[in-house]
Amino acid sequence: MAAPEERDLTQEQTEKLLQFQDLTGIESMDQCRHTLEQHNWNIEAAVQDRLNEQEGVPSVFNPPPSRPLQVNTADHRIYSYVVSRPQPRASYFAAGDILSPLFHKGLLGWGYYLIMLPFRFTYYTILDIFRFALRFIRPDPRSRVTDPVGDIVSFMHIFEEKYGRTHPVFYQGTYSQALNDAKRELRFLLVYLHGDDHQDSDDFCRNTLCSPDVISLINNRMLFWACSTNKPEGYRVSQALRENTYPFLAMIMLKDRRMTVVGRLEGLIQPDDLINQLTFIMDANQTYLVSERLEREERNQTQVLRQQQDEAYLASLRADQEKERKKQEERERKRQKEEEVQQQKMAEERRRRNLQEEKERKSECLPPEPPPDDPESVKIIFKLPNDSRVERRFHFTQSLTVIHDFLFSLKESPEKFQIEANFPRRVLPCLPSEEWPNPPTLQEAGLSQTEVLFVQDLTDD
């Protein structure tokens, strides 16, 4: 194992680096360090993300989907819970107090409120127009999201530095990825938007969000995604959810096949109150998740059944195709066999025809038979393989080839044969060979005036 670079690493980080490499089997130390830095040196999250990648689940540090899920924020059944902050009696220009009187007692307060109302309305109207025009001159840098995961990791790092590591498990991915996971797993998604400049944010994070009971509820029953609205990713989510004040929590779930905001919690909520509100929202909407889960199971069963039917159909189709293929092969073999038989018949017919033509040609080329009184003639009696006898006269000076041609021209003679003499027993060289390039004459072969020769069938040989 390569030694880690201890430069700029603490002893704890070095130990985590070596432990992460042992757990994941990654050989490159630079890659291990880069992965741990992406996860803010949270070794559990880094190992889990690595295992997700090996199982085919995209890493949370991959680019977010090009088309994020749309969240329905206009459900008329949305549950909203706002904790109002007590307002100072002497503050007349506090944000959000345009339509509420500052003095709750006495005619003097109501009169002062009515007198100041036109001036306050004009002031805030001009201020809103100025802010609107300023957007065109100087666009908000938060509107450009370039590194959404970096925004999440940066917020987690700042949160842990300020409030410690005892907190709910943050979802280490983009808002879109959190929505996708909540939809896929049919879980509640709790979104927390952190207002860095709000006076209640510090108290909420330190005393409510880091409460052990709140941590246990969130970790066991939902996904938790958080980001600061000063970060581009948090600002983008803020523009979508349109919070009114901070701290802000939104409960999102799959409802009627759409990711829907089913609960909004705003203001400084105490731990017990937060637990009660979250439990109430989940209990009120649990039936939607159960229904969606049943529908998904039914769709999965239908899909499995359809897949099984398709597989059975394909198996039957393959079996039919295999039967048809075997039938086709059998037909092809039968056709080829018939063609071979036909070709053999034709070849045999051609052979017989050629043989007959050859016999006729040999017969026509035979020299005439000498008369019986010719002293130079030889009378030869041939015994054929079928026990028949043939008699003919030849001239002493004629070649033994003539004897062979004569026998060959006979209809009853075999196709291939040899001629043997009995005294002495020998095979007459009637055809040219290496030993006898030119077959001898009857006289040279030692034949007498009367001979009996035997024809031996060599067709089988």
Side-chain angles (χ1 to χ4, degrees):
M1 179 179 1
E5 297 182 4
E6 297 186 0
R7 180 170 52 87
D8 301 330
L9 293 180
T10 63
Q11 181 65 28
E12 180 183 5
Q13 290 175 335
T14 302
E15 293 176 356
K16 288 185 176 181
L17 188 63
L18 295 173
Q19 185 180 1
F20 179 76
Q21 187 181 47
D22 291 338
L23 292 173
T24 60
I26 300 176
E27 296 182 358
S28 174
M29 193 63 68
D30 291 337
Q31 183 179 353
C32 293
R33 178 172 178 174
H34 177 68
T35 304
L36 285 172
E37 287 176 346
Q38 284 183 319
H39 291 83
N40 196 25
W41 292 94
N42 187 330
I43 188 169
E44 291 84 1
V47 171
Q48 183 61 45
D49 194 34
R50 178 68 179 177
L51 294 176
N52 288 343
E53 290 184 4
Q54 294 177 349
E55 294 175 358
V57 179
S59 170
V60 298
F61 290 93
N62 289 338
S66 57
R67 296 184 61 185
L69 288 175
Q70 298 297 322
V71 178
N72 180 19
T73 60
D75 191 346
H76 67 280
R77 294 166 292 182
I78 185 173
Y79 177 79
S80 182
Y81 181 79
V82 180
V83 178
S84 300
R85 182 178 180 81
Q87 302 295 333
R89 294 176 60 88
S91 177
Y92 302 106
F93 298 98
D97 288 355
I98 297 178
L99 300 179
S100 62
L102 300 176
F103 295 94
H104 302 284
K105 296 180 181 180
L107 296 176
L108 181 61
W110 280 102
Y112 185 83
Y113 172 78
L114 294 175
I115 293 172
M116 294 300 298
L117 182 60
F119 298 99
R120 295 168 62 190
F121 179 78
T122 304
Y123 170 78
Y124 283 112
T125 301
I126 296 175
L127 182 61
D128 290 340
I129 294 175
F130 175 76
R131 289 175 177 173
F132 181 76
L134 189 61
R135 292 180 183 177
F136 294 94
I137 301 174
R138 184 182 177 185
D140 194 328
R142 296 178 299 175
S143 61
R144 298 182 60 185
V145 181
T146 57
D147 184 14
V149 177
D151 296 339
I152 306 301
V153 174
S154 175
F155 171 71
M156 291 172 50
H157 181 71
I158 296 173
F159 187 96
E160 291 182 347
E161 283 185 349
K162 195 170 184 179
Y163 306 111
R165 293 182 176 270
T166 304
H167 56 75
V169 176
F170 290 104
Y171 183 91
Q172 299 190 35
T174 66
Y175 176 65
S176 297
Q177 290 172 332
L179 289 174
N180 283 322
D181 281 353
K183 180 179 180 180
R184 184 179 66 253
E185 299 174 11
L186 292 179
R187 298 182 63 185
F188 289 99
L189 172 62
L190 183 63
V191 175
Y192 169 60
L193 293 179
H194 183 79
D196 294 282
D197 301 328
H198 197 276
Q199 53 191 343
D200 292 334
S201 296
D202 185 74
D203 189 2
F204 175 79
C205 292
R206 192 178 306 278
N207 299 320
T208 300
L209 201 56
C210 293
S211 168
D213 294 335
V214 173
I215 293 174
S216 176
L217 175 66
I218 293 177
N219 290 346
N220 291 330
R221 299 194 61 182
M222 65 196 76
L223 297 177
F224 182 64
W225 185 90
C227 191
S228 169
T229 54
N230 286 343
K231 303 291 184 181
E233 176 71 356
Y235 178 74
R236 181 173 68 89
V237 178
S238 171
Q239 295 298 303
L241 299 181
R242 297 293 182 183
E243 74 280 7
N244 297 316
T245 186
Y246 300 98
F248 174 78
L249 293 166
M251 184 73 82
I252 303 176
M253 60 170 287
L254 184 62
K255 181 179 180 181
D256 299 330
R257 298 189 178 182
R258 293 183 61 187
M259 295 303 290
T260 305
V261 177
V262 295
R264 295 169 62 95
L265 306 177
E266 299 179 88
L268 181 58
I269 307 177
Q270 298 304 315
D272 293 339
D273 196 10
L274 177 60
I275 292 175
N276 292 334
Q277 296 300 324
L278 292 178
T279 303
F280 173 79
I281 294 174
M282 288 188 292
D283 291 343
N285 294 276
Q286 189 67 34
T287 55
Y288 294 103
L289 284 184
V290 173
S291 176
E292 181 63 32
R293 193 171 288 113
L294 292 176
E295 290 182 8
R296 184 172 293 183
E297 290 178 357
E298 183 178 354
R299 289 196 299 269
N300 291 338
Q301 291 177 358
T302 302
Q303 184 177 2
V304 170
L305 179 60
R306 184 180 295 111
Q307 183 178 359
Q308 291 175 350
Q309 292 174 344
D310 292 343
E311 291 177 353
Y313 170 76
L314 291 176
S316 176
L317 181 61
R318 285 193 293 266
D320 293 341
Q321 291 175 344
E322 181 66 17
K323 291 180 181 178
E324 182 62 26
R325 186 185 64 82
K326 290 183 178 179
K327 290 181 179 179
Q328 183 66 23
E329 290 180 353
E330 183 64 24
R331 288 194 294 266
E332 183 67 19
R333 283 195 296 268
K334 187 179 295 185
R335 186 188 63 81
Q336 291 179 355
K337 187 175 181 180
E338 290 176 353
E339 287 184 355
E340 290 177 359
V341 172
Q342 187 65 23
Q343 290 176 358
Q344 291 176 358
K345 289 181 178 180
M346 295 173 62
E348 180 65 19
E349 184 66 25
R350 286 194 300 270
R351 187 188 65 80
R352 290 181 180 276
R353 187 169 56 252
N354 294 335
L355 180 62
Q356 185 61 31
E357 292 176 355
E358 182 69 14
K359 286 178 177 291
E360 292 176 357
R361 188 180 64 81
K362 294 287 187 182
S363 178
E364 293 175 357
C365 294
L366 286 175
E369 183 178 2
D373 55 353
D374 188 348
E376 296 297 325
S377 65
V378 179
K379 178 183 178 181
I380 301 178
I381 301 173
F382 298 99
K383 295 188 67 173
L384 300 178
N386 60 359
D387 294 335
S388 62
R389 291 171 176 264
V390 178
E391 180 180 327
R392 192 184 189 279
R393 288 182 176 274
F394 298 91
H395 202 278
F396 268 117
T397 60
Q398 292 175 344
S399 172
L400 291 177
T401 304
V402 177
I403 299 177
H404 184 276
D405 291 345
F406 167 73
L407 291 174
F408 182 79
S409 66
L410 297 178
K411 182 179 180 180
E412 59 271 18
S413 65
E415 183 177 347
K416 294 181 181 180
F417 57 88
Q418 67 182 11
I419 304 172
E420 296 179 353
N422 216 8
F423 300 103
R425 189 173 184 84
R426 64 192 186 281
V427 176
L428 299 179
C430 298
L431 296 177
S433 63
E434 293 183 1
E435 185 179 357
W436 296 94
N438 296 314
T441 63
L442 276 64
Q443 187 175 9
E444 292 173 346
L447 298 182
S448 61
Q449 287 188 340
T450 301
E451 286 285 348
V452 177
L453 300 180
F454 298 89
V455 179
Q456 184 180 0
D457 190 355
L458 300 179
T459 303
D460 293 339
D461 296 338

